[in-house]
Amino acid sequence: MRIKIKILFIIIGSLLLSLSASTYYSQKIIEKKAEADLSDEVDKIVRQLDLSIVTTKRISNVNIIDENLEELMSVRPSIVRIDLFSFQDDGTLRYLISKKTLSIDQIKLTQKDIDQIKKDQILLSLEKIDNVNYINVIAPVHFNDTIFGLIKLKKSRKEFDRLLAKQRQHAFITAIISISFITGVLAISMNQIVLRP
């Protein structure tokens, strides 16, 4: 009987370690892929905004821009704020329009941020407000192959984080069920194969 228990403990311990390690690494891979997908989604949103603003009529007509932003935010409710600015001749920013669904402050801009935007870079940062994670995006707006201004966008990660937590929970439950099943099969097999003979 003591041999059976020792063998079971060794096998179950090995299974626990290997299953825990594989579950952990699988989860990390899934999370990295999900983060990359989220980053791609944000990039597509910014490119879509950029394309919708680039015609001469739309730049001069704030109402059309307002409608575009309103439509985008209704289709993508995770976007909680969008701010649009244009560059003046002296390089300073001029406020054009802002849309928001939550009363959340704008992303603060530094001179370094503005310099990076002028080099056609998209800036991403994370922020936590009232236990909700947000992605802040600052991206250039183009017109005739030049950088006309910038977009500041804040997107909620609430749904994204909820899905990741659910994924972790499913992985944990699957691991527990697998270990329980294997333990039961091993215990029955030990009785039949080792203890009876």
Side-chain angles (χ1 to χ4, degrees):
M1 189 68 172
R2 284 164 60 192
I3 292 171
K4 174 192 168 188
I5 292 169
K6 284 180 184 176
I7 292 170
L8 272 175
F9 274 130
I10 289 168
I11 293 170
I12 291 167
S14 302
L15 281 170
L16 265 171
L17 282 173
S18 63
L19 200 56
S20 297
S22 69
T23 302
Y24 175 79
Y25 287 113
S26 296
Q27 192 62 35
K28 286 294 172 191
I29 290 168
I30 289 167
E31 285 177 18
K32 270 190 177 177
K33 172 76 172 103
E35 290 285 347
D37 290 347
L38 183 63
S39 182
D40 287 346
E41 181 194 354
V42 166
D43 189 53
K44 284 176 187 168
I45 291 168
V46 167
R47 301 276 179 228
Q48 179 184 350
L49 274 170
D50 191 9
L51 286 171
S52 71
I53 294 169
V54 294
T55 64
T56 309
K57 286 181 183 174
R58 290 183 178 185
I59 285 172
S60 61
N61 191 336
V62 177
N63 290 335
I64 293 174
I65 295 172
D66 188 62
E67 286 171 18
N68 285 342
L69 297 182
E70 190 82 44
E71 184 181 330
L72 177 72
M73 292 176 85
S74 68
V75 172
R76 297 181 184 268
S78 60
I79 298 174
V80 296
R81 182 169 187 145
I82 300 173
D83 300 288
L84 182 64
F85 295 83
S86 64
F87 286 114
Q88 303 283 59
D89 292 336
D90 62 358
T92 59
L93 285 173
R94 180 174 70 108
Y95 167 81
L96 288 178
I97 196 164
S98 178
K99 296 300 283 180
K100 58 185 176 180
T101 56
L102 292 177
S103 179
I104 293 179
D105 291 338
Q106 289 182 344
I107 308 162
K108 301 288 185 232
L109 279 174
T110 65
Q111 188 57 48
K112 184 182 175 185
D113 295 335
I114 294 169
D115 293 340
Q116 287 179 298
I117 292 300
K118 287 180 178 177
K119 292 177 185 172
D120 209 13
Q121 296 177 2
I122 295 175
L123 309 176
L124 296 173
S125 63
L126 295 176
E127 180 181 18
K128 192 169 197 167
I129 302 170
D130 299 328
N131 293 322
V132 177
N133 293 316
Y134 293 91
I135 296 176
N136 293 321
V137 184
I138 306 170
V141 177
H142 299 86
F143 178 64
N144 290 340
D145 297 326
T146 60
I147 296 170
F148 152 77
L150 64 85
I151 298 168
K152 296 196 298 181
L153 181 143
K154 191 181 289 283
K155 184 179 188 314
S156 170
R157 283 180 44 128
K158 192 173 187 175
E159 184 62 20
F160 175 80
D161 290 339
R162 187 188 68 75
L163 289 172
L164 272 185
K166 201 171 187 178
Q167 176 67 34
R168 280 189 211 108
Q169 186 181 20
H170 284 305
F172 179 73
I173 289 169
T174 302
I176 294 296
I177 290 170
S178 300
I179 289 167
S180 302
F181 177 74
I182 292 168
T183 303
V185 169
L186 282 173
I188 292 166
S189 300
M190 284 292 217
N191 277 335
Q192 298 297 317
I193 298 167
V194 178
L195 288 181
R196 270 194 184 172

Coordinates of all heavy atoms in Angstrom, one line a residue, residues 39-55 58 64-65 67-77 79 82 84 122 137 139-142 151 153 155:
S39 N -2.9 45.5 -30.5 CA -2.0 46.6 -31.1 C -2.4 46.8 -32.5 O -2.4 47.9 -33.0 CB -0.6 46.2 -30.9 OG 0.3 47.2 -31.3
D40 N -2.5 45.7 -33.3 CA -2.9 45.8 -34.7 C -4.3 46.5 -34.9 O -4.5 47.3 -35.8 CB -3.0 44.4 -35.3 CG -1.6 43.8 -35.6 OD1 -0.6 44.5 -35.5 OD2 -1.5 42.6 -35.8
E41 N -5.2 46.1 -34.0 CA -6.5 46.7 -34.1 C -6.5 48.2 -33.9 O -7.1 49.0 -34.6 CB -7.5 46.1 -33.0 CG -8.9 46.7 -33.1 CD -9.7 46.3 -31.8 OE1 -9.3 45.5 -31.0 OE2 -10.8 46.9 -31.8
V42 N -5.7 48.6 -32.9 CA -5.5 50.1 -32.6 C -4.9 50.8 -33.8 O -5.3 51.8 -34.2 CB -4.7 50.3 -31.3 CG1 -4.2 51.7 -31.2 CG2 -5.5 49.9 -30.1
D43 N -3.9 50.1 -34.4 CA -3.2 50.6 -35.6 C -4.2 50.8 -36.7 O -4.2 51.8 -37.4 CB -2.0 49.7 -36.0 CG -1.2 50.3 -37.1 OD1 -0.7 51.5 -36.9 OD2 -1.0 49.7 -38.1
K44 N -5.1 49.8 -36.9 CA -6.1 49.9 -38.0 C -7.1 51.1 -37.8 O -7.5 51.8 -38.7 CB -6.8 48.6 -38.1 CG -6.0 47.5 -38.8 CD -6.8 46.2 -38.8 CE -5.9 45.1 -39.4 NZ -6.5 43.8 -39.2
I45 N -7.4 51.2 -36.5 CA -8.4 52.3 -36.1 C -7.7 53.7 -36.5 O -8.4 54.5 -37.1 CB -8.7 52.3 -34.6 CG1 -9.6 51.0 -34.3 CG2 -9.5 53.5 -34.2 CD1 -9.8 50.8 -32.9
V46 N -6.5 53.8 -36.1 CA -5.8 55.1 -36.3 C -5.6 55.3 -37.8 O -5.8 56.4 -38.3 CB -4.4 55.1 -35.6 CG1 -3.5 56.2 -36.1 CG2 -4.6 55.2 -34.1
R47 N -5.3 54.3 -38.6 CA -5.2 54.4 -40.1 C -6.5 54.8 -40.7 O -6.6 55.6 -41.6 CB -4.6 53.1 -40.7 CG -3.3 52.7 -40.2 CD -2.2 53.4 -40.9 NE -0.9 52.9 -40.3 CZ 0.1 53.7 -39.9 NH1 -0.1 55.0 -40.0 NH2 1.2 53.2 -39.4
Q48 N -7.6 54.1 -40.2 CA -8.9 54.4 -40.7 C -9.3 55.9 -40.4 O -9.8 56.6 -41.3 CB -9.9 53.5 -40.0 CG -11.4 53.7 -40.4 CD -12.3 52.8 -39.6 OE1 -11.9 51.9 -38.9 NE2 -13.6 53.1 -39.7
L49 N -9.0 56.4 -39.2 CA -9.2 57.8 -38.9 C -8.4 58.7 -39.8 O -8.9 59.7 -40.3 CB -8.8 58.1 -37.4 CG -9.9 57.8 -36.4 CD1 -9.3 57.9 -35.0 CD2 -11.0 58.8 -36.5
D50 N -7.2 58.3 -40.0 CA -6.3 59.1 -40.8 C -6.8 59.2 -42.2 O -6.9 60.3 -42.8 CB -4.9 58.5 -40.9 CG -3.8 59.3 -41.5 OD1 -4.1 60.5 -41.8 OD2 -2.7 58.8 -41.7
L51 N -7.3 58.1 -42.8 CA -7.8 58.1 -44.2 C -9.1 58.9 -44.3 O -9.4 59.5 -45.3 CB -8.1 56.7 -44.6 CG -6.8 55.9 -45.0 CD1 -7.2 54.4 -45.2 CD2 -6.1 56.5 -46.2
S52 N -9.9 58.9 -43.2 CA -11.2 59.6 -43.3 C -11.1 61.1 -43.2 O -12.0 61.8 -43.5 CB -12.1 59.1 -42.2 OG -11.7 59.5 -40.9
I53 N -9.9 61.6 -42.8 CA -9.7 63.0 -42.5 C -8.9 63.7 -43.6 O -8.9 64.9 -43.8 CB -9.0 63.2 -41.2 CG1 -9.9 62.8 -40.0 CG2 -8.6 64.6 -40.9 CD1 -9.3 62.7 -38.7
V54 N -8.2 62.9 -44.5 CA -7.2 63.5 -45.4 C -7.7 64.3 -46.6 O -6.9 64.9 -47.2 CB -6.2 62.4 -45.9 CG1 -5.4 61.8 -44.8 CG2 -7.0 61.3 -46.7
T55 N -8.9 64.3 -46.9 CA -9.4 65.1 -48.1 C -9.5 66.6 -47.6 O -9.8 66.9 -46.5 CB -10.7 64.6 -48.6 OG1 -11.7 64.8 -47.6 CG2 -10.6 63.2 -49.1
R58 N -12.7 67.6 -45.9 CA -12.9 67.1 -44.6 C -12.0 67.8 -43.6 O -12.4 68.0 -42.4 CB -12.7 65.6 -44.5 CG -13.8 64.9 -45.3 CD -13.7 63.4 -45.2 NE -14.8 62.8 -45.9 CZ -15.0 61.6 -46.0 NH1 -14.2 60.7 -45.4 NH2 -16.1 61.1 -46.6
I64 N -18.0 67.4 -40.7 CA -17.8 66.1 -41.3 C -16.9 65.2 -40.4 O -17.1 64.0 -40.2 CB -17.2 66.2 -42.7 CG1 -18.3 66.9 -43.6 CG2 -16.8 64.9 -43.3 CD1 -17.8 67.2 -45.0
I65 N -15.8 65.8 -39.9 CA -14.9 65.1 -39.0 C -15.7 64.6 -37.8 O -15.5 63.5 -37.4 CB -13.7 66.0 -38.6 CG1 -12.9 66.4 -39.8 CG2 -12.9 65.3 -37.6 CD1 -11.8 67.4 -39.6
E67 N -18.8 63.9 -37.5 CA -19.7 62.8 -37.9 C -18.9 61.5 -38.0 O -19.3 60.5 -37.6 CB -20.4 63.1 -39.2 CG -21.5 64.1 -39.1 CD -22.0 64.5 -40.5 OE1 -21.8 63.8 -41.5 OE2 -22.7 65.6 -40.6
N68 N -17.7 61.6 -38.6 CA -16.8 60.5 -38.8 C -16.4 59.9 -37.4 O -16.4 58.7 -37.2 CB -15.5 60.8 -39.5 CG -15.8 60.9 -41.0 OD1 -16.8 60.5 -41.5 ND2 -14.9 61.6 -41.7
L69 N -16.1 60.8 -36.5 CA -15.7 60.3 -35.2 C -16.8 59.7 -34.4 O -16.7 58.7 -33.7 CB -15.1 61.5 -34.4 CG -13.8 62.1 -34.9 CD1 -13.3 63.2 -34.0 CD2 -12.7 61.1 -35.1
E70 N -18.0 60.3 -34.5 CA -19.2 59.8 -33.9 C -19.5 58.4 -34.4 O -19.9 57.5 -33.6 CB -20.4 60.8 -34.2 CG -21.6 60.5 -33.4 CD -21.6 61.1 -32.1 OE1 -21.2 62.3 -31.9 OE2 -22.0 60.4 -31.1
E71 N -19.4 58.2 -35.7 CA -19.7 56.9 -36.3 C -18.7 55.9 -35.8 O -19.1 54.8 -35.5 CB -19.7 57.1 -37.8 CG -20.0 55.8 -38.6 CD -19.9 55.9 -40.1 OE1 -20.1 57.1 -40.6 OE2 -19.6 54.9 -40.7
L72 N -17.4 56.3 -35.8 CA -16.4 55.3 -35.4 C -16.6 54.9 -33.9 O -16.5 53.7 -33.6 CB -15.0 56.0 -35.5 CG -13.9 55.1 -35.0 CD1 -13.6 53.9 -36.0 CD2 -12.6 55.9 -34.9
M73 N -17.0 55.9 -33.1 CA -17.2 55.5 -31.7 C -18.4 54.7 -31.4 O -18.5 53.9 -30.5 CB -17.2 56.8 -30.8 CG -15.8 57.5 -30.8 SD -15.7 59.1 -29.9 CE -15.5 58.5 -28.3
S74 N -19.4 54.9 -32.3 CA -20.6 54.0 -32.1 C -20.3 52.6 -32.6 O -20.9 51.7 -32.0 CB -21.8 54.6 -32.9 OG -21.6 54.5 -34.3
V75 N -19.5 52.4 -33.6 CA -19.1 51.1 -34.1 C -18.1 50.4 -33.1 O -18.2 49.2 -32.9 CB -18.5 51.2 -35.5 CG1 -17.9 49.8 -35.9 CG2 -19.5 51.7 -36.5
R76 N -17.3 51.2 -32.5 CA -16.3 50.7 -31.6 C -16.4 51.3 -30.2 O -15.8 52.3 -29.9 CB -14.9 51.0 -32.1 CG -14.6 50.3 -33.4 CD -13.2 50.6 -33.9 NE -12.9 50.0 -35.1 CZ -12.3 48.8 -35.4 NH1 -12.0 48.1 -34.3 NH2 -12.0 48.4 -36.6
P77 N -17.4 50.8 -29.4 CA -17.7 51.4 -28.1 C -16.5 51.4 -27.1 O -16.5 52.1 -26.1 CB -18.8 50.6 -27.6 CG -18.9 49.4 -28.4 CD -18.2 49.6 -29.6
I79 N -13.7 52.6 -27.7 CA -13.0 53.9 -27.8 C -13.8 54.9 -27.0 O -14.9 55.2 -27.3 CB -12.9 54.4 -29.3 CG1 -12.1 53.4 -30.1 CG2 -12.3 55.8 -29.4 CD1 -12.1 53.7 -31.6
I82 N -11.5 60.6 -28.4 CA -10.7 60.9 -29.5 C -10.5 62.5 -29.6 O -11.5 63.2 -29.5 CB -11.3 60.5 -30.9 CG1 -11.5 59.0 -30.9 CG2 -10.4 60.9 -32.1 CD1 -12.3 58.5 -32.1
L84 N -8.5 65.6 -31.9 CA -7.8 65.8 -33.2 C -7.1 67.2 -33.1 O -7.8 68.2 -32.7 CB -8.8 65.7 -34.3 CG -8.2 66.0 -35.7 CD1 -7.2 64.9 -36.1 CD2 -9.3 66.0 -36.7
I122 N 3.8 56.1 -34.3 CA 2.6 56.0 -33.5 C 3.1 55.6 -32.1 O 3.9 54.7 -31.9 CB 1.7 54.9 -34.1 CG1 1.2 55.3 -35.5 CG2 0.5 54.6 -33.2 CD1 0.4 54.2 -36.2
V137 N -3.2 56.2 -27.4 CA -2.6 56.2 -28.7 C -2.4 57.7 -29.2 O -3.4 58.4 -29.1 CB -3.4 55.4 -29.8 CG1 -2.6 55.4 -31.1 CG2 -3.8 54.1 -29.3
A139 N -1.1 59.5 -32.7 CA -0.7 59.1 -34.1 C -0.8 60.3 -35.0 O -1.6 61.2 -34.8 CB -1.6 58.0 -34.6
P140 N 0.1 60.3 -36.0 CA 0.1 61.4 -37.0 C -1.1 61.3 -37.9 O -1.6 60.3 -38.2 CB 1.4 61.2 -37.8 CG 1.7 59.8 -37.6 CD 1.2 59.3 -36.3
V141 N -1.6 62.5 -38.4 CA -2.6 62.6 -39.4 C -1.9 63.1 -40.7 O -1.2 64.1 -40.6 CB -3.8 63.5 -39.0 CG1 -4.8 63.7 -40.1 CG2 -4.4 63.0 -37.7
H142 N -2.1 62.5 -41.8 CA -1.5 62.9 -43.0 C -2.4 63.6 -44.0 O -3.6 63.4 -44.0 CB -0.9 61.6 -43.7 CG 0.0 60.8 -42.9 ND1 -0.4 59.9 -42.0 CD2 1.4 60.9 -42.8 CE1 0.7 59.4 -41.4 NE2 1.8 60.0 -41.9
I151 N -3.7 62.7 -33.9 CA -4.9 62.1 -33.2 C -4.5 61.6 -31.9 O -3.4 60.9 -31.8 CB -5.5 61.0 -34.0 CG1 -5.9 61.4 -35.4 CG2 -6.6 60.3 -33.3 CD1 -6.2 60.2 -36.3
L153 N -6.1 59.2 -29.0 CA -7.2 58.2 -28.8 C -7.0 57.5 -27.5 O -5.9 57.1 -27.2 CB -7.2 57.3 -30.0 CG -8.2 56.2 -30.2 CD1 -8.6 56.1 -31.6 CD2 -7.7 54.9 -29.6
K155 N -8.6 54.1 -25.6 CA -9.4 52.9 -25.9 C -9.4 52.0 -24.6 O -8.3 51.7 -24.0 CB -8.8 52.1 -27.0 CG -9.6 50.8 -27.4 CD -8.9 50.2 -28.6 CE -9.7 49.1 -29.2 NZ -10.3 48.1 -28.3

